[in-house]
Each structure stands twice: as structure tokens, then as C-alpha cells.
């Protein structure tokens, strides 16, 4: 594949991710003050979170911490909630839920649900 074709393919990928992120943030905006039910599945692990969505942030180009943790591209969902993992329930740390968008592979945005597939796992979000 020549350089022009490779560059064109990369640009199409960037534009499709940006339009996907716009669809996702529009959906989140429409769910302000709703209860979100989030199921995150990574390999053989599944966590469930309930969150009263107060606000959200779409963060881009965040610097990684010194130990390499963090995300360059993420959604932060703010609100009171609880997380259930391995049968244990706890308050949502910092009243915020982070969805890493680095490695976003696809999404399905419908009126009553949102599904995000990343290289880490799948996030399924429904609302009341």
C-alpha cells in the first residue's frame, strides 16, 4: 500500500472515531440526571456500576502518570453511585467513573443503551 493510501486510511479512522465520540457525548448529554447502569466486561471479569449522572467530561491528550498509568483519551462520568465487583459493593470512588477510549473499536448508540467496545473490554450502559 502506498503512503497516500495509508495516510487516507488513518484519516478515515480518526474521523470515524471522532464522529463516534460525538454520538456518545450527545447520548450522555441526553441522560443528564438519569440513573445509568454500567456493565464492564474484561476477559473473565465483570463489574456493575450504578451512577446518577450529574455531568461528564471528554478528556483528550491527558498526560500519563510517571508509572505509565492513565489514559490519553477518556470519558469521565460524574455522579453518586456504587460499584459491584466479585459480589462486593462499594461507593463509587471519587464519585466518578472512567471509561478509557484509547483503543476504541466500536460503539452502538441507541435511545435506551450505549455499548462501547475497546481493546480492554466492553462497556454496556443502560438507563432508567
Amino acid at each position: 500500500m502506498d503512503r497516500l493510501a495509508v495516510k487516507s486510511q488513518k484519516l478515515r479512522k480518526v474521523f470515524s472515531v471522532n464522529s463516534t465520540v460525538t454520538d456518545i457525548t450527545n447520548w450522555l448529554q441526553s441522560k443528564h440526571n438519569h440513573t445509568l447502569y454500567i456493565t464492564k466486561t474484561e476477559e473473565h471479569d465483570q463489574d456493575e456500576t450504578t451512577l446518577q449522572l450529574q455531568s461528564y467530561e471528554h478528556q483528550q491528550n491527558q498526560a500519563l502518570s510517571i508509572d505509565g498509568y492513565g489514559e490519553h483519551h477518556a470519558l469521565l462520568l460524574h455522579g453518586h453511585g456504587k460499584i459491584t465487583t466479585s459480589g462486593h459493593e462499594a461507593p463509587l470512588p471519587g464519585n466518578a467513573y472512567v471509561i478509557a477510549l484509547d483503543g476504541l473499536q466500536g460503539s452502538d448508540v441507541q435511545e435506551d443503551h450505549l455499548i462501547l467496545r475497546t481493546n480492554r473490554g466492553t462497556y454496556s450502559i443502560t438507563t432508567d
Side-chain angles (χ1 to χ4, degrees), residues 52-65:
Q52 179 71 33
L53 184 63
Q54 295 173 345
S55 65
Y56 72 90
E57 294 177 63
H58 175 213
Q59 294 188 344
Q60 298 182 50
N61 303 318
Q62 298 300 304
L64 297 178
S65 65

Side-chain angles (χ1 to χ4, degrees), residues 4-127:
L4 184 57
V6 170
K7 187 174 182 177
S8 176
Q9 186 177 23
K10 287 180 182 179
L11 284 173
R12 278 196 303 273
K13 185 175 181 180
V14 167
F15 288 129
S16 67
V17 169
N18 286 341
S19 66
T20 299
V21 171
T22 299
D23 294 340
I24 293 165
T25 57
N26 287 342
W27 188 87
L28 289 169
Q29 181 64 37
S30 74
K31 303 306 177 193
H32 183 259
N33 287 328
H34 287 238
T35 300
L36 301 182
Y37 303 95
I38 305 166
T39 302
K40 177 182 72 170
T41 306
E42 291 180 342
E43 295 181 12
H44 303 292
D45 184 42
Q46 184 170 322
D47 299 335
E48 295 181 358
T49 302
T50 304
L51 171 76
Q52 179 71 33
L53 184 63
Q54 295 173 345
S55 65
Y56 72 90
E57 294 177 63
H58 175 213
Q59 294 188 344
Q60 298 182 50
N61 303 318
Q62 298 300 304
L64 297 178
S65 65
I66 195 166
D67 56 3
Y69 287 97
E71 304 303 330
H72 287 289
H73 192 197
L75 287 173
L76 276 71
L77 310 180
H78 298 282
H80 297 285
K82 62 183 178 181
I83 186 165
T84 304
T85 183
S86 301
H88 296 59
E89 188 175 290
L92 188 61
N95 290 325
Y97 187 86
V98 178
I99 299 176
L101 295 178
D102 292 335
L104 181 64
Q105 297 172 347
S107 65
D108 180 22
V109 181
Q110 302 293 323
E111 177 61 31
D112 62 343
H113 73 270
L114 169 64
I115 298 173
L116 303 172
R117 288 175 301 284
T118 71
N119 59 1
R120 287 186 170 187
T122 301
Y123 298 83
S124 175
I125 306 172
T126 58
T127 186

